[in-house]
Every structure is written in C-alpha cells, then in structure tokens.
C-alpha cells in the first residue's frame, strides 16, 4: 500500500533520519533497526488492530454500573502493543526504553493510528502520561508509576477539562487539599485529597489493565479556601484508580474516583470517554471521602508540567489526523481501481456501446484522489518534519537545537490544525469516490470521516491554534520564529529555481511567503489584539497552506532526476497543491490584512 | 427561531410570493392561506417529527426476514403528514389537491426536512412518485396508483440505481419482458415481467402503508434478447409490492419483489434503504416468477418520464441540505448564547479574575455563526428562488415562463450541489461551536452533519452536477441561459449601485460575474470536452459562490432602509459572504480558465 513506501521515502531520502544514528544517543541504532521497528509496528497494526477497527466502533464501551466493558480484541491489541516495547520507545535504555528518536517513534505509532485510532489511544495516552512523569516526577514516582505503565501493567490518562471548563482551563474548579497533617511525608509525593469533576477523559475507565494512573489538574485553595484565578493556580497530581504501595503493588484499597458516565461520541467510539467524579465519596480510602492524589512538580506549576510535552502531543494529534486521511485515501484508491463506471467523453459525447472504464480514469475522480494524496502525504511530511525537529531540539548541536525550537514555535499550531481540517476533507473525498457505497458502514471510509472530526476539537481547538499562531508565535521575540521559517522556505525556493521543472513552483512559493509576511505585518499594524485576532482562523488556514506548499516543493526537490511512477506521483501531488490549493490563501489573507472587523462588530442580537 | 422569520421575509418581502394569488391557478389562495399552510406544517413538524429525529437514527429499520420494522413514531408522523393533505399539495383541486404554488409547497415541506429529514423522506418520495404518475400515467394509473398515494394509503419509491450502475443509469440490466400474449390488454397498463436488482431504494420496504408502489427503470430486450445500450433503451414501470385491482384494492397476491437487504448508512438512518430483487422467484404472482410491472408512458422513454420532475427533485435535495444546515445553525446559536467560556483579550492579555462571557461574544465564534448564517439563509434564498421559477415556468406569462426555464437550466445544478457542499460545512461549524459536546450524540449537531453528507451523492453526484453545468447548461443555445442569469445579476448590481452602503458589494459582484464569464469562455476556447470538463467541479464551486453572492446582494437590496436587528443581521451575512467567501472563486476559476491538465494527465500508476 502507498503509505509505507511514502513513509520510507520521507524518512530516508527526504529527512535522512538515518543520520541521527551518528549522534551519541542513537548510536546503538542503525537504519536497519529503525526499519525493523517500523516492520514490527506495521505487522502488529495490520494483525491486531485493523481487523477490529469496525468492531471497536460498533461495540462501544458499556458500563454495567461497576465496570466498563470493551471488546476482547481491544485488550489483545493493546497488550500486543505493550509487549512490543513501544510504550517506552523514546525512553532511555536504562529505564527499559528503546531510546528511539522521536521521528521514528512517531512514524511507528502512525501505523496504529491508521489501523485503529480509537484502539490505539489507550497506548498513546499511557506512553504520554508515563513520559510526563519521567520528566517531572520524583525518582519514586517514576519507578512506581511511570515504569509500571511502560510495562503495560497500568495504563494512564490525562484529566484536564471539566464540564464547565474546556478550552478555558484556568477556570477549573477541582480542589486539592492537603491530606491531614502528615501530607508531606508520603513517599509517593505530597498527598492531597481531590474533589471535582473531570470531563472528556479518554480511557478514563476500562478493564484493560490492572490499574489506571490519572494525571489530574486541580487547584490548591489558599488559607481562606479561595482558588487562585488563572493558570497560576493550577497544580498536577497523580491519582491512581487503585491505591498502590512503593513496590507498585495494589494495596487493595480503591481510591475515590468514580465513573459518572460514558460520553457517546460521533467517532473514536472504541476509546472509552468518561465523566469522572473525584472525591464524591463513593469510595472512602483511609476511611474518608476524597480522591488521594500525589503532587507532581511544584504547586502552581501543573500546566507547565502538563504542557511540557505539548509539542509532541500536538504533533501526535496531527499525525493521527493524517493517518485517518491516509486510510481513507488507500481505501478509495483501491475502490477507484476496481469499480467500472462511465465512459470517455468525446467531441460527439459518449458511446454507450463501449465497455465502461474503471472510475480512476475519470478526471474528476483523479482530482479527488490527487487532492487526498496532496493532503495526506503532505500532512505526513509535515508531521515527520516536526517530529524530526524535536530530535534536533533534543540531540542536535546548540545552533541546530535553537533553530529547531524556533521552527517548532510556529509549526506546532500548523501541525495540530492543518491535518485536522484537511484530512477530514480527504476523508469526505474518499466517501465521494465510493459514492453510495462510501455512505454505508459496509465500507470503512465513513468511520474514518467520523473519527477524524474530533481532531479539530481536542488538544486545543482550531480557534485556539489560530490565536496561538497569530497572537503569540509569529510575533514573539520580534518575529524570530517566523523569520527562521522564512529562511527555510527561501532555501527551498532557491533550490527549486535551479531546476527548470520546479522553478515555477519556486516562484509561486516565494510570492505566497511574501503575501503571508505582508498580511502578518498589516494584521498587527495597529497593535490592537482584538482587531488583529478576529481573523486568526483564516490566518491559520493561509499559513498552513503556505507551509504545506513549502514542504511539497521541498519533497519535489528531493526527487532529483527520478522518473519512476513513485516520483511522478509525488511531483503530480506537489503540482496539484500549487495549482488547486495554494491560490486559496488570497481569500484568507485579504480579511487578515485589512483587519476585517465584520465578525468582531457583529452583534449577538443580529443573528 | 430564526428560520420561520427568514422564510416569511424571503417569501413575502423578497419574492413577493403572495402575488401568485393573482394568477388563475392560485386565485383561491391568499397570503393568509399560504401562511396557514406554513403554520400547519411547522406545527406538525415540531410535534410529530422533531422530537423523534434522534430515535429514528438510533432505532434503525430492522428486517426480521419477513417485515421491516420502524419505530412507531415514524408511522404516527407520516400519517399526520398524509392527513394534512400535503402529499397532494401541488395537485389540482379536482384531483383532491391543494393547488399550491411550488414555492409554497417546498417552503412548507422544508419544516419536515429540518425536523427529521429521514422521517420526512417517506412522504416526499410518495408525493414525487404520485406526481410523476399524474404527469405520465394513463387515467386509470392516475386513479388507482397516484390518488391512493395522495391519500396516504400507499407509499411510493423510485427504483433507478443497480449495484453495478449508479451514476451510469444507461448501464442498468433489469429486464422487462411482455407478460404473455395478452400483455397489452391489462387495464392497468401494458403488463411486463421484470427481473433484476435495484440498489439504494429509499423507503423500499416498510410497514407504514398498506402497499408500496415502486416506479422502476428497466430495459425491454429486443427479439434476440439484447438490451439497447444507453438511455434510449430504458422504460418505466409501476411495480406494486402487492398486486391491486382497478378499484385500488389489494388482490391478495404478493408481487415478486423481495428485500435482499437493508443498507446500513452513515446518516439518514430512519429511512429504510434497500437492495430489492425483482423477479427472483421468491413470490409467484399468477403462478410464475417475475415481478409484474405496468408500463408508464412509451417504451424507451423511461428516463424522460423519470426526469420530468427532476428539477423539482433537485431543488428538493438542495432545500433538504439547507434545512439540515439550518437545524445545526439554530442549535449552535442557541448553545453559543448560553455557554460561558473565556474572556476578552486586551492589550495586557486576559484578566482571569473577570467573569467569563458567553462564547457568542468571541469573534471566532461569531465568525463560525456568520458563516453558517450566510450558507443556510443564502441556500434558503436559492432554493426558494428556484421553486418560484418553477411557478413562473408553469403559470407565468409566456415571456416569464421562457425566462424562468432558461434560468433553471443553469441554476438547477447549483441548487442541487451548493447547499450539499456548504451546508455540510455549516453542520461541521455547528459541531465546532459546541466543541466536545458537539461531538457527542447527546446534542443533535453530529446527526445533522452525518445526514447531510448524503446530499452530495444522491440525485446526481457533485461531479455530475459540474459536468451538467459546464458541459451542457452554460453552452446550450449559444449560452442563452448563462446570459439570462447574467442579466438578472446585472439588474441586482444596478440597484445596489444606487445605495451607497451596498455599492461596494455591487462592484464586487460585477467583477465576479465578469471573471466567471471569462473563465467559461477560456474553458471552452479549444472545444475539447475532456480538456474543458477536467475542471468541471471547481467551475461548479465558483459558479455556485457567484450565484450565492448575487442572491445575498439581492436580499440586501430588498431590505431598503430597515435598521432593525433582523435587517442588520441580513446585511452582516451578506457582507460576510462577500468578504470571506466570494474571493475564493479566484482559486477555482484559475484552473478552469487555463484548462489545467494535471488531473487529466495523472496516470493511475502514479498514485
């Protein structure tokens, strides 16, 4: 199938990920070990995940009042994932990890997102949860919680949102109070009692693992019982479902964390998604109500800890969106090759006595497939590029690390948002290629479309990514990050201008870059955030298309003189993006540049 | 709620539909009777349909091997619809109809599409089926079949597609052979035996009515048993599920039509959707296998008969898409007014100690609501405008009728396709406004999004609408239809130029019209259909946006000097469309005008 071939090309020929093995941290690895990891994950995904993706959608998690039941194949699949060692793929060898580069870890995980994004979520959350504890936990928290998670015995969650506080985390109301006088003496960390409700908790309840390690944001009230407004007041706690001892054994006591209800979603149905009540008194650990939680890091630094790996998390969301797009692309490509319908249109019309041809021969079907190809392969290039920047940031030279950090500032909102928008569109086009069949649950494409719709919402909505990009990232440090990105784009343009066949695309990219730069300046020319940011989303869309055009040209540059089918396809997709997509930025930037006030001035009563 | 107020405004102040009562056919009506019809339908839709829309989605039609079961509220709702007389709303008084104008009939039916498009489908199909028989059936076919359908005793279907022939109807394989020597002597029509499989048959099986009247396309083989290739070979037949006599009574004999399976869809789940086997021998009417069918119209004129009311059917699809968009708009507007989250962004950032504000006060949320408003209210204007043209065509002066016919040629592909694309986008924006809640089945917006995705597929796919528009409609009769439309647009521009506040929009519309005209000419400048039509879909998109901009400006013109909230909202939506949407046509038209060959030249092996 197309995905692996493109993945290998992007990793090897485009990003030269194998060169990472020259760095001390990855010196034990080689191009072969990287490839072996991908092979293993591709195989597990194909055998244990993909065949049950529909089942995980139709047999939703069921709550019987005590336990949440999932289909057996989900348990088998996540255990196979755990046994592969991938939960600790990026961790140090001495912590039992594989010490893989981020870009290889993410590429390997991509197979699971493509096979079943909902089944894969349990593992991804656990890996992220434990990785956070490795960065911010005490030595014993790492030993007890993180390492047991890496082994697959316990799974993890992230508990941020509350029913009344989604995008606005600073308004959370969950309270954490010291658990008695000796609260500071617990070896697992300063011990608190948490009380509050957490919403949208993926994998918040299940029987897939012996225990569930919740990472929970809460506020510690001051002496008058008041909560500090804003993000400054937020702290982070480990709240295990079952209490444990310092040997990572269950004590037999159930913590006061109770499932209040399962959310029934449009997609992602195989991942249990929960409203959890902390400290409502359903259980009474130590004879009292209140969920026992152990402080991670310093009080008031909860958001900082939680967002320490936000870049990886947002790349992960974008890559997941790409993989759902890829799955739909492959399914619709396969269908289009098989399905006969319609005939060529000649000057005299169609000749109904001629046999029909496969629909892949119709220009409009090729258009829909090319659009998908340009979205999903471009999105894959974007996600891998960002993951590689994480490696640069962690293991590159000081200069490379600094440059990577700057680029990530502006690229993270893009890698989170662009695939979330355009790979849903790819899924819609896949449905369209299959026609009536695509609209049925007998084919997989409708599920991909439903699953993918979540990605514009979670881990920072589309609107929030736009505010982050235009409101912070492109102006921070005098616009250094934007300049760093422009430098990379100009290098790509320069190389394209040397190749007659790509020079036209190079000039188009240079013009688009200038257009985005100009709009950025005009947007901020009055220095009024509300006026500027009223069009942050169109800005995000235009910026994203600019980035994708750049990456497509860079990929085309890297093909050199190759003229095989694979290279021709890549060039065609690059040309498609420049011909059909990049010109859209004009419409988005016009409102940005003139600080179009319409949306801001619209009155609620006028709707 | 916003919809009725906008509907009344468009009908009365914009289209002046009440003036139709001055024509003989509608002379018995008045503005009051029109309004009473709308009131009745709004009430039935609110009471019998809307409360059960989610139920119709979750309790899908079930086949027990003999019967297809639907939830009881569906039966109650469609019976209430039948009892309202709406099945025959447009029919003559003497046929038991209400002799309503098309524009009023469609406006009234819009309430049902908004309340539950899936439950409403049974009635819409029946009305269309019977209407077709009134136009093409024999007097006895009208009496027996059409009138019994109008009474609600029997329901109807349209059986066109086959598993191997969807968009390509000329390739159907269902055969109709004369039923014995005396086949021409049956009073119900020339009697044939049909054998073949029909796919995607909405309402193809259920227990909602005493009988189901299938209208079936099939081919009559020649003496050598060969089928004529192409559309010329297709004939139309009435195939009742239960055989009937000339008194419209069931004979007690079951016809040889068998349910082969229900399709399980992404949306529209409350409408049973069937694979039907005709003549497989499950039943043996008259002692033989073969489904008995009565010819409608002349042999070989089946498509012509079926498509006689295609314009109405395509307006109906577009209006259905609009109403799903409207339902989502209203739900998200309501949510945005209630939900507090976030704070104003000042030069110094946000002040977390301030109370949160309803999300409708955020510019980006207003942008998403304005986009929805511009799509759904613009789409409603488009559908009503087209329905009104049907009335002009049927009851206007000869000049008006001719002009209406020309306008419909180019507007029908737009009214079918534009809402099907952009009101799905409206539904996606509604989900986004609700955030995580919008992604759950506890709120209605995700269902609207799923339901609406069908509209780009059925009744002629998006691609086919593009081919119809660019390949036929804009060039037929030397481009007369396009010129007629341009004339209307120029009149709107002229009026806008007289109003200082709208003159800018008028100039923008004139420029867009010129741009579309120029692209049309360039697209056809070499006279090679394959080269021109490779970009028919982007052309359709640009053309659609031009039409919507025109209608929005025309609506804005009609507001005059009004300055109330309603008028301000309409003006803001018009401005939104011109600022954020109309500029998109540049990207679409560029590939059209240069006959971009990329998609045509793409090779299947390159994917």
């Amino acid at each position: 199938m197309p995905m692996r071939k493109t993945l290998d090309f992007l990793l090897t020929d485009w990003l030269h990920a194998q060169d990472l093995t020259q760095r001390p941290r990855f010196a034990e690895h080689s191009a072969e070990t990287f490839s072996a990891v991908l092979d293993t994950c591709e195989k597990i995904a194909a055998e244990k995940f993909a065949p049950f993706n529909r089942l995980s959608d139709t047999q939703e998690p069921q709550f019987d009042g005590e336990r949440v039941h999932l289909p057996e194949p989900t348990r088998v699949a996540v255990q196979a994932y755990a046994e592969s060692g991938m939960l600790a793929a990026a961790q140090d060898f001495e912590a039992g990890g594989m010490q893989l580069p981020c870009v290889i870890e993410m590429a390997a995980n991509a197979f699971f997102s493509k096979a079943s994004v909902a089944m894969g979520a349990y593992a991804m959350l656990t890996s992220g949860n434990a990785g956070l504890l490795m960065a911010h936990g005490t030595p014993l928290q790492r030993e007890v919680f993180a390492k047991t998670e890496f082994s697959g015995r316990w799974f993890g969650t992230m508990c941020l949102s509350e029913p009344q506080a989604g995008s606005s985390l600073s308004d959370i109301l969950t309270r954490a109070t010291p658990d008695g006088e000796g609260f500071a003496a617990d070896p697992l960390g300063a011990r608190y009692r948490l009380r509050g409700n957490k919403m949208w908790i993926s994998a918040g309840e299940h029987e897939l693992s012996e225990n569930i390690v919740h990472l929970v944001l809460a506020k510690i009230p001051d002496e008058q019982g008041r909560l500090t407004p804003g993000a400054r007041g937020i702290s982070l706690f480990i709240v295990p479902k079952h209490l444990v001892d310092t040997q990572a054994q269950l004590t037999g006591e159930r913590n006061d964390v109770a499932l209040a209800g399962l959310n029934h979603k449009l997609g992602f149905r195989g991942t249990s998604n929960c409203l959890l009540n902390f400290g409502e008194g359903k259980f009474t650990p130590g004879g009292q109500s209140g969920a026992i939680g152990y402080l991670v890091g310093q009080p008031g630094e909860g958001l900082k800890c939680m967002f320490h790996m936000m870049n990886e998390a947002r790349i992960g969301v974008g890559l997941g969106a790409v993989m759902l797009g890829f799955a739909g692309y492959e399914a619709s490509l396969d269908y289009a090759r098989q399905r006969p319908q319609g005939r060529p249109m000649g000057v005299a019309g169609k000749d109904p006595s001629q046999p029909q041809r496969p629909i892949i021969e119709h220009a409009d079907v090729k258009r829909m497939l090319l659009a998908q190809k340009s979205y999903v392969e471009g999105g894959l290039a974007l996600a891998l590029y960002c993951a590689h920047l994480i490696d640069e940031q962690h293991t590159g030279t000081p200069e490379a690390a600094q440059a990577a950090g700057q680029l990530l500032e502006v690229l993270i909102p893009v890698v989170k948002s662009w695939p979330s928008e355009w790979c849903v569109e790819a899924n819609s086009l896949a449905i369209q290629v299959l026609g009536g069949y695509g609209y049925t649950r007998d084919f997989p494409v409708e599920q991909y479309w439903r699953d993918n719709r979540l990605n514009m919402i979670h881990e920072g909505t589309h609107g929030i990514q736009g505010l982050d990009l235009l409101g912070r990232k492109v102006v921070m440090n005098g616009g250094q990050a934007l300049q760093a990105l422009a430098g990379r784009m100009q290098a790509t343009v320069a190389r394209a201008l040397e190749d007659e066949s790509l020079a036209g695309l190079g000039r188009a990219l240079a013009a688009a870059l200038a257009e985005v730069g100009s709009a950025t300046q005009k947007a901020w020319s009055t220095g009024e955030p509300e006026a500027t940011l009223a069009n942050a989303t169109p800005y995000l869309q235009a910026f994203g298309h600019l980035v994708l055009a750049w990456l497509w040209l860079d990929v085309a540059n890297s093909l050199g003189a190759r003229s095989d089918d694979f290279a021709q396809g890549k060039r065609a997709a690059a040309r498609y993006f420049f011909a059909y997509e990049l010109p859209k930025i004009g419409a988005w930037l016009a409102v940005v540049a003139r600080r179009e006030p319409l949306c801001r001035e619209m009155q609620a009563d006028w709707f």
Side-chain angles (χ1 to χ4, degrees), chain A:
Chain A
M1 295 299 266
M3 196 280 248
R4 178 65 191 269
K5 207 170 167 190
T6 292
L7 184 66
D8 287 342
F9 170 79
L10 291 174
L11 287 174
T12 307
D13 299 287
W14 184 56
L15 287 174
H16 308 287
Q18 63 280 13
D19 294 352
L20 291 168
T21 61
Q22 292 160 19
R23 297 182 185 173
R25 180 169 177 82
F26 309 122
E28 306 271 313
H29 284 289
S30 65
E32 288 68 34
T33 61
F34 288 173
S35 199
V37 168
L38 298 182
D39 290 346
T40 301
C41 289
E42 187 173 16
K43 187 169 186 301
I44 298 174
E47 291 176 359
K48 308 282 189 190
F49 285 74
F52 308 103
N53 188 42
R54 176 61 76 176
L55 181 75
S56 81
D57 184 69
T58 51
Q59 287 191 19
E60 278 184 284
Q62 295 290 337
F63 182 44
D64 65 8
E66 190 175 352
R67 294 168 201 276
V68 170
H69 301 279
L70 294 169
E72 177 64 8
T74 301
R75 199 191 57 74
V76 173
V78 296
Q79 282 306 325
Y81 183 93
E83 284 158 21
S84 76
M86 279 297 292
L87 285 167
Q91 300 298 321
D92 296 354
F93 291 131
E94 63 183 34
M98 292 200 257
Q99 214 158 305
L100 279 175
C102 180
V103 69
I104 300 299
E105 180 193 23
M106 287 209 171
N109 277 330
F111 290 106
F112 300 97
S113 301
K114 180 158 159 276
S116 179
V117 75
M119 290 167 72
Y122 298 95
M124 305 299 150
L125 283 162
T126 299
S127 184
N129 173 307
L132 188 156
L133 289 175
M134 291 303 285
H136 297 284
T138 63
L140 191 62
Q141 287 175 341
R142 289 186 221 168
E143 198 60 37
V144 170
F145 295 105
K147 291 197 181 167
T148 312
E149 290 185 65
F150 287 138
S151 76
R153 234 179 84 209
W154 300 347
F155 281 0
T157 75
M158 302 285 194
C159 302
L160 288 74
S161 299
E162 300 182 0
Q164 83 297 344
S167 293
S168 179
L169 280 179
S170 58
D171 293 292
I172 61 168
L173 296 173
T174 298
R175 304 165 79 92
T177 51
D179 187 28
E181 291 297 315
F183 82 98
D186 196 306
L188 290 174
R191 200 174 65 240
Y192 288 75
R193 292 279 182 160
L194 277 72
R195 292 178 178 82
N197 311 310
K198 290 291 177 179
M199 188 58 163
W200 312 124
I201 309 310
S202 288
E205 187 57 87
H206 56 72
E207 300 291 320
L208 298 174
S209 54
E210 182 190 75
N211 201 0
I212 301 175
V213 180
H214 302 291
L215 283 176
V216 184
L217 293 180
K219 291 189 170 182
I220 302 170
D222 65 15
E223 283 157 19
Q224 283 73 44
R226 293 172 308 204
L227 302 181
T228 307
R232 284 178 303 125
I234 301 176
S235 304
L236 179 66
F237 301 87
I238 299 168
V239 184
K241 173 181 167 184
H242 298 287
L243 294 176
V244 305
D245 63 22
T246 57
Q247 303 303 306
Q249 297 302 318
L250 304 195
T251 64
E253 201 166 22
R254 173 76 192 252
N255 203 354
D256 192 9
V257 183
L259 180 70
L262 289 171
N263 295 308
H264 295 98
K265 295 169 296 169
L266 167 59
F268 257 84
R269 295 189 185 185
T271 308
S272 65
N273 188 275
C274 310
L275 173 59
L276 294 179
N277 288 351
F278 289 82
E280 66 170 2
K282 180 159 183 185
F283 303 97
T284 50
Q288 294 175 41
S289 71
I292 289 176
Y294 307 100
L295 182 69
V296 179
Q298 296 302 308
E301 298 198 345
L303 268 192
K304 197 175 127 189
C305 292
M306 185 63 93
F307 285 161
H308 174 81
M309 292 194 305
M310 188 182 67
N311 283 356
E312 285 91 327
R314 291 189 167 170
I315 297 170
V317 169
L319 185 53
V322 168
M323 285 301 112
L324 284 165
F326 232 121
Y329 169 55
E330 289 183 356
S332 63
L333 181 57
D334 190 49
Y335 183 89
R337 291 193 200 281
Q338 314 286 335
R339 169 82 176 177
Q341 188 149 261
R343 297 173 179 77
M345 170 70 82
V347 177
K350 297 175 189 173
D351 179 354
S353 67
Q354 291 299 305
Q356 302 195 72
R357 56 179 178 177
I359 62 171
I360 199 171
E361 294 180 26
H362 296 296
D364 197 55
V365 173
K366 288 193 277 190
R367 181 188 62 80
M368 292 190 279
L369 292 170
L370 264 174
Q372 289 181 68
K373 183 176 170 76
S374 80
Y375 299 153
V376 305
E377 295 184 356
L380 182 58
L382 170 64
L384 295 176
Y385 190 90
C386 290
H388 189 253
L389 288 176
I390 299 275
D391 290 315
E392 286 293 281
Q393 204 178 20
H394 292 164
T395 63
T397 61
E399 299 73 36
Q402 195 200 3
Q406 285 183 335
L407 290 168
L408 283 169
E409 296 288 2
V410 282
L411 289 178
I412 289 296
V414 174
V415 72
K416 160 62 176 68
S417 66
W418 194 91
S420 300
E421 179 170 3
W422 295 96
C423 295
V424 179
E425 177 61 20
N427 290 142
S428 180
L429 289 169
I431 293 174
Q432 195 69 18
V433 169
L434 271 74
Y437 292 100
Y439 194 72
T440 70
R441 280 123 67 197
D442 297 324
F443 287 80
V445 288
E446 63 85 27
Q447 187 184 345
Y448 301 141
W449 187 63
R450 285 188 287 112
D451 286 350
N452 218 349
R453 184 62 187 80
L454 180 60
N455 288 313
M456 274 176 76
I457 298 170
H458 67 173
E459 200 66 48
T461 64
H462 224 54
I464 282 176
Q465 302 302 324
L467 295 176
D468 182 42
L469 180 66
L470 181 58
R472 271 181 8 102
K473 300 303 186 58
V474 298
V475 286
M476 65 197 293
N477 303 322
Q480 273 185 6
L482 184 54
Q483 285 159 26
L485 181 66
R488 297 279 173 122
M489 292 188 183
Q490 280 150 356
T492 299
V493 168
R495 187 164 163 203
L497 292 177
E498 290 167 14
D499 178 342
E500 202 178 328
S501 71
L502 296 176
L505 304 192
R507 285 188 292 272
L509 181 63
L513 173 60
E515 213 179 326
V516 169
S518 163
T520 310
Q521 288 195 334
K522 288 177 183 163
W524 276 110
S525 61
T526 60
E528 301 163 290
E530 287 249 9
T532 305
L533 298 178
N535 293 297
T537 299
Y539 182 80
L540 179 73
Q541 293 174 299
F543 200 97
H545 261 45
L546 171 69
V547 167
L548 267 287
W550 160 53
L551 293 173
W552 265 118
L553 184 56
D554 207 65
V555 167
N557 277 341
S558 74
L559 294 166
R562 282 179 63 171
S563 63
D564 54 307
D565 285 347
F566 179 86
Q568 298 281 39
K570 288 283 175 287
R571 277 191 203 98
R575 287 185 187 286
Y576 180 89
F577 201 86
F578 275 79
Y580 288 79
E581 294 294 333
L582 185 59
K584 291 179 181 171
I585 69 169
W588 290 318
L589 292 176
V591 292
V592 173
R594 70 167 180 263
R595 298 177 303 286
E596 172 62 53
L598 183 67
C599 296
R600 201 157 51 93
E601 292 172 2
M602 179 73 186
Q603 301 296 305
D605 292 340
W606 296 355
F607 283 109

